[in-house]
Amino acid sequence: MTGLLLTLLLAALDQTIVGTSEPRIIASLNGFDRYPWVTTAYLLTSTIAVPIFAKLSDIYGRKWFFLTGNILFVTASAFCGGAGEFRWLPGDGMSQLIVFRGIQGLGAGIAMGLLFTIIGDIFPPAQRAKYQGLFASIFGLASIFGPTLGGWITDQFSWRWVFFVNLPVGIVAAAAILVEFPYFRPHGVRRKIDWRGALSLTCCLVPLLLALTWVTDYGWGSERVVSLLAVAAVMLVAFLFAEMRAVEPVIPLSLYRNQIISVATIAVFLMGISMFGVIIYIPLFMQGVLGVTATRSGSLLTPLMLGFVVASIASGNIVGRTGRYRIVVLVGVSLIATGIFLLAAMDQNTAQWQVIRNMIIAGLGMGSVMPIYTLAVQNVAPPDKMGAATASIQFFRSIGGTVGVATYGSILLRKYHASFAQNVPPGTPPRVLALLNNPLQMRQAALGSTGLRPGDLLLVRQLLGNVRQALFQGLHQIFVIGSMLMVVAVIVNFFLKEVPLRKKHHAQVAAEV
């Protein structure tokens, strides 16, 4: 449990701690033109690794894959911290960092893809609920402390220590797993790797994630995005064709004949689009519409994550005691829908305490349902497909979040530009409009910017009222779409059947029969 908790903490922190130090990293390595790839490389490899290595663990056992993921993550962290100092490696510091972040994402994807499956191996479903609630709460804690910790480490030491800090914790986690974790070699499975499925899935996900990453910059109609989406669609067909014929498919399509698994998968995909896409833009609403400082807007996210942590632990214990999960899921998704609906009702005059209230409601709902879907799926999944079934929940939640962020980003910019253009005074110099073309830059423009003429700053400040209104229009549309998707998610969850949680493992039940 120590090894599992520490591994999860490392992977969860890494998703939040690095973002705070990115401006310092970019300045140090002179890589502004490539800074999105620091995140994109990690996202690509971690997303691809989850289903592939989860399936491999179903065939060959979990211990050595999980340990390999841990070691890869820790080793890559050391290289990320030293990026630019390795003169014997090709490329400049930024190129090295991007490559090492990709390797780090691969390790994190392997570990995260197996972690909740391992909990399923150790505990029967009735006991599993409280532990999965505990582990899910780690994500919330990492989101609370990660950005602050990343800023403190960067200021007090160096951005390199944001990566080096993973080493001692990761070594302890790897040692605990190596010494204490038992190696269960699966029996009764055909050890044949689905190479075609793994290759076609990779060739589908890479262009899909790249297209979704670039859509905000280039638009849905750009040749780059359209061609990548076309390639992804063709490879998706190839992947489905390969899976129907594979002896041990990466993602067994037969799993989705089970109504609980299919409903849970659709639900987490919809919630990924709705929740994670919306949450990304709450700080922008507080900064751009309400005029809250960046530091203050970051701290205002804390109530949402605290609600997530409390609800994760509480729902896990409730389900563990009662053995019933359907009512918890319905209450949870209803809370999320209510919270996002209240976010959609906000305007320029919304008080900060109302934003906090709305986020607490959404956070309580998120924490209630996140560990439960995995539990419900594991409760009905065949033992030899436990890893693939568990990974499918994480996989589709991640894809949903990526789709949500990309879609909402394009909606925001389109609505922002259309609304802002309607109120621009005639004769406004292009150099001034360029500063306000991106809503993320408006605070810097208001404070002054190099290249501005003496009269431009006054004009910029006059235009900020238009910027605020245009930004509100775009964000309001995002929140409305998110609330509508959550209504659909609530309806989908009414079809979630309830199978009472087993108090024993499959093997124990079979032995008694």
Side-chain angles (χ1 to χ4, degrees):
M1 290 294 287
T2 300
L4 294 176
L5 279 168
L6 288 176
T7 300
L8 175 61
L9 180 63
L10 281 177
L13 270 177
D14 194 74
Q15 296 180 21
T16 57
I17 197 173
V18 175
T20 313
S21 59
E22 271 197 6
R24 201 76 60 86
I25 294 173
I26 293 163
S28 174
L29 299 180
N30 193 27
F32 180 77
D33 57 325
R34 289 165 288 167
Y35 87 92
W37 284 97
V38 175
T39 301
T40 302
Y42 186 97
L43 174 68
L44 279 171
T45 54
S46 61
T47 303
I48 293 169
V50 168
I52 293 176
F53 285 91
K55 181 58 188 178
L56 289 174
S57 76
D58 279 339
I59 301 175
Y60 296 103
R62 314 206 199 280
K63 176 175 181 175
W64 299 113
F65 285 115
F66 186 78
L67 187 60
T68 299
N70 185 300
I71 293 171
L72 261 181
F73 181 86
V74 174
T75 304
S77 295
F79 278 89
C80 285
E85 301 296 323
F86 303 110
R87 308 300 180 192
W88 47 276
L89 288 176
D92 61 3
M94 196 65 179
S95 299
Q96 292 177 6
L97 178 63
I98 291 168
V99 172
F100 298 145
R101 280 286 283 173
I103 299 172
Q104 191 183 39
L106 178 63
I110 297 172
M112 294 304 299
L114 300 186
L115 192 140
F116 287 96
T117 307
I118 290 171
I119 298 173
D121 291 337
I122 299 173
F123 302 104
Q127 296 179 29
R128 194 180 304 160
K130 62 181 180 181
Y131 289 107
Q132 289 192 337
L134 171 65
F135 276 76
S137 69
I138 296 295
F139 281 107
L141 289 172
S143 299
I144 294 171
F145 298 113
T148 303
L149 180 61
W152 182 82
I153 291 175
T154 302
D155 289 338
Q156 298 298 319
F157 302 97
S158 164
W159 65 263
R160 298 184 184 277
W161 279 95
V162 169
F163 297 105
F164 290 150
V165 75
N166 292 335
L167 272 61
V169 181
I171 291 171
V172 172
I177 295 299
L178 177 64
V179 175
E180 295 293 339
F181 190 80
Y183 174 51
F184 298 113
R185 186 175 176 83
H187 298 285
V189 297
R190 288 169 288 186
R191 293 183 172 85
K192 186 174 178 62
I193 298 175
D194 178 18
W195 294 107
R196 291 180 181 177
L199 179 61
S200 56
L201 178 62
T202 302
C203 293
C204 172
L205 289 177
V206 169
L208 174 64
L209 293 174
L210 287 177
L212 293 175
T213 300
W214 284 333
V215 73
T216 304
D217 295 327
Y218 299 101
W220 289 102
S222 69
E223 182 179 350
R224 177 185 305 213
V225 172
V226 170
S227 59
L228 286 171
L229 290 175
V231 172
V234 171
M235 296 313 302
L236 175 60
V237 174
F239 171 70
L240 295 175
F241 187 80
E243 296 306 90
M244 288 188 290
R245 287 159 175 74
V247 175
E248 285 291 339
V250 173
I251 300 180
L253 302 182
S254 60
L255 286 173
Y256 301 104
R257 295 173 190 160
N258 185 295
Q259 185 173 336
I260 291 176
I261 297 177
S262 58
V263 168
T265 301
I266 295 171
V268 297
F269 179 73
L270 287 172
M271 290 167 61
I273 297 175
S274 179
M275 289 187 314
F276 297 114
V278 166
I279 289 169
I280 289 293
Y281 293 100
I282 291 176
L284 181 58
F285 181 90
M286 291 188 287
Q287 291 180 51
V289 178
L290 301 185
V292 177
T293 64
T295 303
R296 177 65 176 156
S297 69
S299 65
L300 283 176
L301 282 175
T302 301
L304 185 146
M305 293 306 169
L306 285 175
F308 181 97
V309 171
V310 171
S312 294
I313 297 173
S315 66
N317 279 280
I318 291 171
V319 173
R321 290 176 181 275
T322 64
R324 304 284 180 174
Y325 55 80
R326 188 170 183 268
I327 185 63
V328 175
V329 169
L330 289 174
V331 170
V333 293
S334 299
L335 282 172
I336 300 170
T338 302
I340 297 180
F341 176 80
L342 291 172
L343 289 171
M346 297 187 304
D347 57 26
Q348 295 99 318
N349 300 315
T350 298
Q352 290 185 26
W353 71 265
Q354 292 175 304
V355 182
I356 294 173
R357 176 202 63 192
N358 301 343
M359 289 193 295
I360 289 175
I361 294 172
L364 288 171
M366 289 170 57
S368 298
V369 299
M370 279 304 149
I372 306 303
Y373 286 117
T374 301
L375 183 67
V377 166
Q378 289 181 342
N379 191 47
V380 297
D384 62 328
K385 295 181 174 63
M386 178 78 80
T390 304
S392 71
I393 297 297
Q394 298 172 263
F395 176 71
F396 282 101
R397 182 187 297 140
S398 175
I399 294 294
T402 306
V403 170
V405 171
T407 304
Y408 291 150
S410 62
I411 291 172
L412 170 65
L413 291 178
R414 186 176 67 250
K415 187 70 174 178
Y416 171 82
H417 290 310
S419 179
F420 180 72
Q422 292 176 354
N423 300 304
V424 174
T428 302
R431 62 180 178 276
V432 174
L433 290 177
L435 289 171
L436 302 177
N437 194 47
N438 185 340
L440 297 173
Q441 295 176 339
M442 67 177 210
R443 306 299 298 179
Q444 291 89 327
L447 296 173
S449 174
T450 56
L452 283 177
R453 298 178 183 177
D456 291 344
L457 187 57
L458 179 60
L459 181 57
V460 166
R461 287 173 176 164
Q462 290 174 344
L463 287 172
L464 280 180
N466 296 341
V467 170
R468 186 183 180 195
Q469 177 62 29
L471 192 56
F472 165 71
Q473 295 292 336
L475 290 169
H476 175 71
Q477 188 169 3
I478 286 175
F479 294 150
V480 168
I481 294 172
S483 63
M484 292 170 63
L485 285 173
M486 279 310 306
V487 171
V488 177
V490 171
I491 295 171
V492 168
N493 278 282
F494 273 103
F495 295 94
L496 182 67
K497 289 184 177 180
E498 182 161 64
V499 176
L501 299 181
R502 290 177 286 103
K503 298 185 182 298
K504 299 179 181 179
H505 285 288
H506 281 290
Q508 292 174 301
V509 175
E512 291 176 2
V513 173

